[in-house]
Structures are given as C-alpha cells and as structure tokens.
C-alpha cells in the first residue's frame, strides 16, 4: 500500500528533474554546445507530443470499447511520415526559409501576410485546443484520484479542481520560463524540446513496461494473450469502412495541422535532414506505443470488475496486481504525455495569439509612424506571457465547466476535426499557386461553421448546446439543416458525416472562391515562393526603392529584436555593401531581409505592417511584378540573341579562316607558278634564241638546219600553246567567251578526244561502253571536247601505274548525264582535292613539268560557261573526274 | 547573415544564367547511372505512402463474421506486420536516399550531385 504522499513526492521530484533538464539544455545551448540538442533523435522524440494523455490512457479505453479502430489514430501519422519526401519536406523548407512562427503564420504569410487570416486560424486553434488542454488536466487529476482512492482517501470534485489548478499553474511556470525566453519564436526552444524528448522516453518506457507486465506477467505470454483477445468482447474485428478510412485521414491531417505538431515539426526543426530519420523512427515509436494497447485493454476487461473505467486500465491494472512501483511509473508516463502536450500547445497558441491578435491590435491602436518610438519588444514578450497564462486558464475553466465528465473524453476527435479545417488552405497554399486569401478565408469560415454545427455543438450532448428538436427536425424546422443529416442525407456515421461535409464544403469554397477572385501582388509573390520553394532559395523582391532612412529602420529593429542583434545585422549588411558603420543603404533586398528577420519574432503579417509604416507603402504593385517579368523576358531574349550572334560569328570566323588558308596556299602556288611560267617561257625562248643564232651564223648542213628550224618551230608552238591557254582562261573567266551550239553525239566526242590526246601511241588501256555513249547532245562541241582532251592528257601525264588504265563511264540519271574519267593511278591526296581546279595549281610532282597547271582550271571554267560542271570524284581507286553535261534544254 | 544571403543570391543568378542559355528550360533528359538511381529511389519514397494507404484499407475487403480473418488477433498480426514492414522499408530508403543540397534542388544540379 503506497502512501498518496509518496506519489505526490515522486511527481514533484519528476517535475523538478524536468526543470533541471530544461535549464541544463538552455545553458548548454547558450554556451554553444548544442549540437546534440539539434540531433535527429531529439527531433524524432519531440514529435511524440502527438501521443498525449488521450493516447496514453485513452487508447486503451478506445480499444476496450471499439477494438482495433484505435489504431487508425496512429496509422494516419504513419502514412504522413512515410511520405515525408512528398509533403513534409516542402513544409519544413518553407517554414525555415520564411521563418514561420506558427501554423497561423504559415497561412497568413502564404496569403499575402494577411492579418485577418492569421486571426481566423488563431481563433480556430484556440477553440480546437482548449478542450484538449482540459482533457489533459482531466487525465492527470483522474489518475491522481485513482491513487488517492487506492490509499483510502476519497476525492471530491474540489480536490480534483485543486489538483488541476496546481498542475495548470506548474505548466504555466514551465512554459513561461522556457518558452518565452527568446523573443525570436522561429528559434528553437532547447529547454522545452529536450524536456519533451525526455518525457517521450518516459511515456514509451512506462507503457511498454505495463504492456510487458500484462502480457507476460498476467496473461502468461503472447499466445495466451492472443487467445484472451479472441475470447473477449472485442474478438471480432469488424471495421466500419467509412470510419476506418475517415479516421486514418483525420489523424494524418491533424498530425500536420495541430498547432503543437506544427510547432515541433516545422518551427523547432533544426535541420531538414532530420526528416529522413523521423520518417521511419517516429512510425516505429508509434508502433511500439500501440503494440500493447490491445492486450492491456482485454486483460483489463478480463481482470477488472465490470464498470471499471477502461481509460485508466494502464494505472489500475498494476495497482490491482499490487505492482505499485509499476503503477507510479505508469502515472509518470501519463503525466509526461499530458504535460508535454500542454506545454507545446500552450506555447504554440500563445505565439499565435501574441503575433496575430495582440501585437497587430496594439499597432493599430497607435498613430501611424509611432512604431519607431514604441517599445515593441516589451509588448511582444508581455503579450506572449499573458497569452500563455490565458490559454492555460481557458483550459482550466473549460475543465471546470465541463465537469470533467465523459463528454470531455469524446473531445479528442472533435478537436482533431476542428483543427484540420486549416488543411485545404495549407495544402492548397503549398501546392497551388492560384490559391488566394479570399478562397482561404471562405474555406476556413465555411469549414468552421459546418464543423461547429455538425460536430462541435452536438458533442456537448443532446439538449446541452442544441435542443433535441434541432436534431430531429432541424433549426426552425428546416429539415435539410439537421446537424447529423445535412441536405437530408441520413444514416451516415456522425463523425464521418461531420468530417465529410466540413472538409468537403471547406475545400469546395476554398477552390471556387480562389478561382473567381483575384489575388494581390504580394500574394502572388508569396504564392510563387511557397509553391516553388525548391527552385527559389531567396525571395523575390517585395519592396521597391523607398525613401525610408536606415536610421529609422535600425531604431525600429532594435525595438523588436534587441539592440545587439539589430546592430550586428545592420553592420553585416553595411559591410556587404562595402560601407563602414551601422547604416547600410536601404535597398529593396535589405528591406526584405530585415522583414524576414523581424517576422521570426512577431510573425509575417506584423513585420510586414511595421516595415510598411516606415517605408510608407512603397510595396510592389502588379505593374512592378509585370515589369519584373518583362525585364526577365527581355534579358532572356537578349541573351538568346547574343547566343545566336556569337554562333554566327563563330561560323564567319571559321569561313574566314578557311578562306585565308586557301589564299595563303594560292599565293604560294602563284609564286611557284610565276617562277614556273618564267621557266616555261625561258626554256623555249633560250632554245629558240640559241638555235636561231646557229642558223644565222650559216654553214650548216641542210639536215641540221632543218632539224634546228624544226626545234625552233616546235618551241614556238609550245610558247603559243602556253599563251593560248593563258588567254583562253582569261577570256573564260571574264565571261566573254563565244559559244557555238551544235548537235552531236557524245561517243564521237570522246573518240575524237582520245585521238587528239594521243592515247593510241601510248600504253594506256581505255575501257569504254560505246552503247552507253550514244547520247545526243547540243552544246559547244569544241569546248566540251577540249575538256575531255585535258582530262585524258592528265591521265596520260600522271597515271604512273605499271599498266595504266582509263575507264570512261557514261551514266544518265534524272535527266542529267555524267561522264566519269577514272584512272588507276595514285589519285589525288585529300588535302589537294580542293585546290586542283584553281588556276596555277599543280601537284608537287616531279613529273608534271610538262603542264603549267592550267588544264583543270580551264576545264572548270568551260564547264561553268556551258552550264555543266566538272568535279573530283573521290573513292574510285585512282584519280577520277566527273563531268556533268549541261542538261539538254 | 548578410553574406549568407548574398551567396544565395549569387546562386540564384547562376541558375538563371544556366536556364537562360538552354532556352527551353533546365531539364536534363538523361542522367548518369548514380543520379538515375537516386531519381528512382525518390520515386520509391513517393510511392511508399500510396502503398501504405492501399494496404491499410485492404482489410476492409476481408470477409466478416466468418473464419479467422475476422478475428481481432488476426487483424492485429496483419496490421502490426504491415506497420513493421513499412518502417523497415522507410528505414532502408532513408539510408540510400541522398538529400539534395539544401540550397539547390533543381534539375540542373541533380546531375552535379552525382559522384
């Protein structure tokens, strides 16, 4: 038999321990040794405030009444955390980059830093959370009462109320001490976070200890426990589909929307990467938390007298079995669950109340411009402290008024459904750019009203808030407004009915109103930043150039975030602008940064309003937005043009380089040609001169004289040919050539060319297909023959193979006739192929002294004049030229 | 504080440049092997909650009132088994999932993070 006083002593000792833990954590953090305080383990454990006393005690009661349905409350959050990559990561990133202080701040900030929306979410959160705080107070006092009864004392309502008041008072002191210490609400509260992490371990350990005791100590092992379950009143598992799905959905949504969950998930998050640990570790925590719930419930049903409150089985079973140490541990577990929830919830609500209701009202009550001189810092801290007190007092009052009856136990799900009315605005705001504040406001109001009508008011019981007649025939006899049969659809489970209609109409109003209304520029900016949070790390500009003085800003910042921090912020900014001192230039970027910094303390809406007063409304307008977009588009177009230009320049440069190479090569060849042609001219000239001198001196034999005269004649012919070629080329190039069109046959032309080129006397073998050569042509036959002659003489000159061959192939294709001259010589190297048709070009070959390098150039010019072409044909095993005959037009 | 923000600004400009010159956008169509694997792991991480929902709703289709499937003990074993497997899968994914750089999560950088 433990004395009741021992329990009180243990509880007080535990509280003192928690204070020490929190105090130690704050000191370590201040000393800069806070790295382990920021670990993912602490983060995961802090999420456990999801498991309140409602969970610790209530889950067993739930299981005893409704079987496995209690699991849905944990399966919902499990899904959300398993899918952390999809949504939680985005939420946490937004929370960090926007320095959000609460869920009301998220909604307000997303929808154009709207004060009205912040107020609405805050009120909704207060209404949803106050009964929940009352529930925690109730569970603590009830468990104390169990011990009191056990030790022979009988507790009256007065004793319960007194205990509840002391608990509430203690929690208020704790929250004030560690929750309102630093003004920056977006900073971590190390003391609180560590304390709730410790409490998380305690409650898990306590529940597992009771579970292990029940399964192995009482029931006698796993097998017997399962048998016991199948023998109990809950032996049949018959989930109601709509409730099963609805409860999983609501608990998952509540995990995101509960103010206290948002506080630990987003605001107290130190590192995004912790999510990947919490993603599996917290579901594992929930699994262990709920593993023994069903066994405790059935063992309790089996063991305890009928009529015993199943909500307290966790404490009463060990007491019944005489395990008082275990009972005290269980009590501490329940106490931990209750207190950690209350502390964080109170802190979250207090931040919301102070940032979204008190400070904006205080600012409004002052004349514009007076902000600078007012002491905002004190107001914020004071309002937050008062809010903590007020929220806890509200919880206590609710607890007293409700009488702590069973009505309170049902409030858990009611509260969940109320709070998740924020879900459409939150999810919509984060994934849909088109969502705007009118839509969010409409959705919240509709959702809140429908929830209040279908679930909150009926939750007080028939004839309490709503008379029986309203349930039966509707308000004022309007049947389709009956709170549990909206639009006349009856027979739905009341919980599912409320969730479906409140959230459905909420989401519908949110979307429809968003679609038909127009957002203001700030909303559009914020919308883009929230939805594309992974694309932008810093925000777009909200402010345009203003006339605000840096000094005024510094004064204001000091009033809000304190002298030292404001000064270092301004100094750093000035330094980054390359200025000394504390007063940077007031650029739009700087105003943005300052606003963000301030919003970490007083919320986005208030910070925005305060900056707005100083800068006198030089906020960005729709025109500015469009101008910025235009500017971006222009820059993009400009850079695209630059890109195109530089590509074009590249091409030009390449062409120029090629031309230059060609010119250089030509110039070299021209020099070579000049010396060649001088040589060519000189050689016949000198033989003509010397032989004519010999002849002039006389007394020569007749035979010699004839021979010498023949040489002179031959040499002058050579000279003439050379000069003819040069003249010919000149004429062809200048385009003054006279053409004489005649009809003829291609075969005849080739035949004549072969004869003239002197193939018959040489060892060149010619392959032809005379049948193919009978092509009638009409052109300047003389000139064309000249081309053939030149090509064939080239073969004669350059084909150095042992058995030189020439193939002449005539081919007709698509109205055009080609004549290919292919030899079996070495061909023309690739690098020379582009040069051979140029004037003066000759291959570096010792054997070609006979020509002046004009032959192919002349061919090219003739063919161009005739309207055909001649080109080198690579890849034929030797040198090959293709003559394209002018089409017979 | 200020310098940090400046760095971020710098990065933003950088990425704007990258996207502009590509014209159509910064999407990279084909990734190397490890970056490709990361993408598929992210797909798995996104798919897991869907799988969880389907399997949690699945028991609603079981026959009721007859056989052992309708027993609470059977349901407990199924649900906790499922839960355990889901925790295990999420754990495995969290081991192999590389967190993208906090300041840069665009497609452009996706390839840059590969080793």
């Amino acid at each position: 038999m433990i004395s009741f006083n021992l329990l009180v002593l243990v509880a007080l000792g535990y509280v003192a321990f928690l204070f020490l833990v929190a105090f130690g954590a704050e000191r370590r953090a201040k000393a800069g040794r806070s790295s382990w305080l920021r670990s993912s383990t602490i983060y995961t454990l802090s999420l456990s405030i999801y498991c309140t006393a409602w969970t610790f005690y209530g889950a067993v009661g739930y299981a005893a009444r409704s079987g496995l349905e209690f699991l849905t409350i944990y399966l919902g959050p499990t899904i959300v955390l398993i899918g952390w990559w999809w949504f939680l990561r985005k939420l946490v990133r937004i929370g960090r980059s926007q320095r959000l202080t609460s869920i009301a701040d998220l909604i307000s900030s997303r929808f154009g830093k709207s004060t009205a929306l912040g107020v609405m979410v805050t009120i909704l959160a207060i209404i949803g959370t106050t009964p929940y705080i009352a529930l925690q107070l109730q569970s603590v006092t009830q468990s104390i009462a169990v011990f009191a009864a056990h030790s022979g004392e009988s507790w009256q309502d007065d004793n319960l109320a007194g205990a509840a008041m002391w608990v509430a008072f203690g929690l208020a002191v704790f929250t004030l001490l560690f929750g309102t210490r630093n003004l920056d609400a977006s900073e971590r509260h190390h003391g609180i976070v560590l304390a709730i992490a410790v409490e998380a371990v305690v409650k898990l350990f306590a529940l597992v200890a009771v579970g292990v005791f029940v399964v192995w100590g009482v029931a006698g092992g796993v097998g017997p426990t399962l048998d016991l379950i199948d023998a109990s009143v809950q032996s049949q598992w018959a989930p109601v589909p709509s409730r099963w799905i609805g409860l999983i959905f609501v608990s998952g949504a509540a995990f995101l929307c509960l103010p206290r969950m948002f506080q630990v998930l987003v605001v107290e998050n130190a590192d995004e990467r912790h999510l990947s640990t919490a993603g599996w570790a917290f579901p594992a925590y929930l699994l262990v938390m709920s593993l023994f719930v069903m066994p405790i419930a059935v063992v309790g049903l089996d063991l305890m007298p009928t009529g015993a409150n199943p909500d307290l089985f966790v404490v009463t079973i060990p007491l019944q079995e005489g395990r008082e140490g275990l009972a005290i541990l269980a009590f501490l577990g329940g106490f931990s669950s209750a207190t950690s929830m209350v502390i964080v919830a109170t802190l979250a609500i207090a931040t919301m109340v102070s940032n979204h209701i008190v400070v904006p009202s205080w600012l409004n009550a002052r004349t514009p411009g007076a902000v600078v001189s007012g002491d905002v810092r004190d107001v914020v801290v004071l309002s937050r402290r008062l809010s903590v007190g007020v929220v806890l007092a509200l919880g206590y009052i609710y607890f007293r008024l409700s009488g702590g009856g069973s009505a309170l136990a049902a409030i858990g799900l009611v509260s969940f459904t109320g709070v998740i009315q924020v879900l459409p605005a939150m999810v919509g705001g984060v994934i849909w750019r088109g969502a705007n504040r009118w839509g969010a406001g409409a959705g919240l109001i509709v959702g809140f009203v429908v929830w209040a009508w279908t679930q909150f008011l009926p939750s007080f019981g028939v004839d309490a808030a709503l008379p029986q007649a309203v349930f039966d025939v509707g308000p004022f006899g309007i049947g389709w407004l009956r709170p549990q049969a909206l639009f006349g659809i009856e027979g739905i489970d009341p919980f599912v009915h409320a969730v479906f209609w409140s959230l459905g109409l909420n989401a519908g109003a949110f979307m429809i109103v968003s679609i038909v209304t127009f957002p203001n520029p700030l909303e559009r900016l914020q919308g883009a930043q929230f939805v594309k949070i992974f694309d932008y790390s810093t925000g777009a500009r909200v402010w345009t150039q203003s006339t605000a003085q840096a000094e005024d800003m510094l004064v204001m910042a000091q009033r809000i975030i304190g002298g030292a921090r404001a000064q270092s912020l301004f100094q750093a900014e000035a330094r980054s602008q390359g200025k000394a001192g504390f007063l940077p230039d007031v650029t739009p970027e700087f105003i943005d940064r300052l606003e963000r910094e301030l919003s970490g303390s007083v919320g986005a809406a208030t910070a925005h309003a305060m900056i707005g007063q100083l800068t006198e409304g030089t906020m960005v307008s729709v025109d500015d937005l469009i101008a910025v977009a235009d500017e971006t588009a222009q820059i993009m177009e400009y850079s695209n043009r630059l890109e195109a230009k530089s590509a074009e320049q590249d091409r030009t440069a390449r062409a120029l380089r090629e031309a230059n190479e060609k010119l250089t090569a030509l110039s070299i060849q021209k020099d070579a040609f000049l010396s060649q042609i001088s040589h060519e001219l000189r050689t016949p000239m000198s033989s003509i001169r010397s032989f004519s001198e010999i002849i002039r001196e006389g007394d020569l034999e007749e035979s010699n004289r004839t021979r010498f005269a023949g040489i002179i004649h031959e040499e002058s012919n050579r000279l003439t040919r050379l000069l003819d070629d040069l003249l010919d080329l000149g004429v062809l190039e200048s385009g003054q050539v006279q053409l004489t069109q005649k009809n003829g046959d291609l075969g005849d032309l080739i035949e004549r060319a072969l004869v003239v080129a002197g193939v018959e006397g040489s060892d060149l073998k010619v392959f032809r297909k005379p049948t193919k050569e009978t092509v009638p042509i009409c052109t300047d036959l003389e000139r064309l023959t000249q081309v053939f002659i030149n090509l064939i003489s080239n073969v004669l000159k350059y084909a150095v193979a042992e058995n030189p061959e020439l193939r002449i192939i005539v081919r007709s294709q698509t109205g055009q006739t080609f004549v290919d001259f292919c030899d079996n010589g070495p061909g023309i190297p690739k690098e020379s192929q582009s040069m051979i048709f140029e004037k003066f070009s000759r291959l570096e070959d010792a054997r070609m002294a006979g020509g002046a390098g004009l032959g192919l150039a002349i061919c090219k010019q003739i063919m161009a004049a005739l309207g055909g072409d001649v080109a080198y044909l690579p890849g034929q095993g030797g040198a090959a030229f293709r003559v394209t005959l002018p089409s017979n037009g | 504080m200020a310098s940090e923000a400046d760095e971020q600004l710098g990065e933003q400009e950088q990425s704007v440049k990258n996207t502009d010159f590509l014209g159509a956008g910064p999407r990279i169509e084909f990734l190397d092997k490890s970056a490709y694997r990361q993408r598929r792991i992210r797909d798995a991480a996104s798919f897991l909650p869907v799988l969880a929902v389907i399997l949690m709703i699945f028991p609603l289709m079981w026959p009721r009132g007859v056989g052992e499937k309708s027993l609470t003990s059977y349901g407990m074993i199924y649900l906790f088994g499922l839960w355990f497997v889901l925790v295990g899968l999420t754990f495995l994914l969290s081991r192999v999932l590389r967190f993208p750089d906090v300041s840069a999560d665009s497609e452009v950088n996706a390839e840059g993070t590969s080793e």
Side-chain angles (χ1 to χ4, degrees), chain A residues 3 48 84 109-110 210 240 262 275 321 345 348 381 425 449 457 475 487 536 567 608 618 627 646 690 753 844 863:
Chain A
S3 84
S48 75
W84 63 275
S109 174
R110 161 63 179 85
V210 174
V240 181
F262 192 86
L275 277 177
E321 294 291 303
V381 171
V449 169
L457 295 178
F487 306 108
Y536 302 110
Q567 283 153 20
H608 188 70
T618 48
S646 95
S690 44
E844 308 283 328
M863 287 318 293

Side-chain angles (χ1 to χ4, degrees), chain A residues 479-543:
Chain A
W480 59 273
L481 277 182
R482 274 172 294 163
Q484 295 185 337
L486 277 191
F487 306 108
I489 301 166
E490 294 174 34
I492 308 175
D493 178 88
F495 166 75
V496 177
H497 175 268
V499 171
F500 179 81
W501 285 118
S502 63
L503 266 187
L505 295 174
N506 175 342
F510 170 62
M511 282 197 277
I512 291 167
V513 175
S514 284
I515 286 167
V516 298
T517 55
F518 204 79
N520 68 28
L522 189 54
E523 277 182 86
R524 290 167 74 176
L525 267 179
Q526 289 291 92
Q529 280 191 49
F530 274 56
V531 174
K532 303 195 164 212
I533 186 73
F534 293 119
D535 298 341
Y536 302 110
S537 290
T538 53
R541 279 186 303 174
V542 173
W543 302 96

Side-chain angles (χ1 to χ4, degrees), chain A residues 217-234:
Chain A
V218 180
V222 177
T225 308
L226 290 177
D227 293 341
L228 203 59
I229 291 172
D230 288 339
S232 72
V233 289
Q234 295 298 341

Side-chain angles (χ1 to χ4, degrees), chain A residues 746-762 764-770 773 784-796 805-809 819-822:
Chain A
L746 184 60
D748 294 347
L749 257 60
I750 296 173
E751 188 63 46
R752 206 168 80 223
L754 286 169
V755 172
V756 174
V759 173
E760 275 182 6
S762 71
L764 182 71
K765 267 192 197 157
V766 181
F767 298 91
R768 295 169 58 192
K769 280 195 180 150
E773 288 173 4
L784 189 56
T785 314
Q786 192 187 344
V787 170
F788 292 167
I789 293 169
N790 280 358
L791 290 174
I792 294 165
S793 341
N794 270 354
V795 175
L796 282 174
E805 293 172 0
L806 170 66
R807 278 173 295 131
I808 301 173
I809 305 157
V819 186
D820 294 348
F821 294 84
C822 313

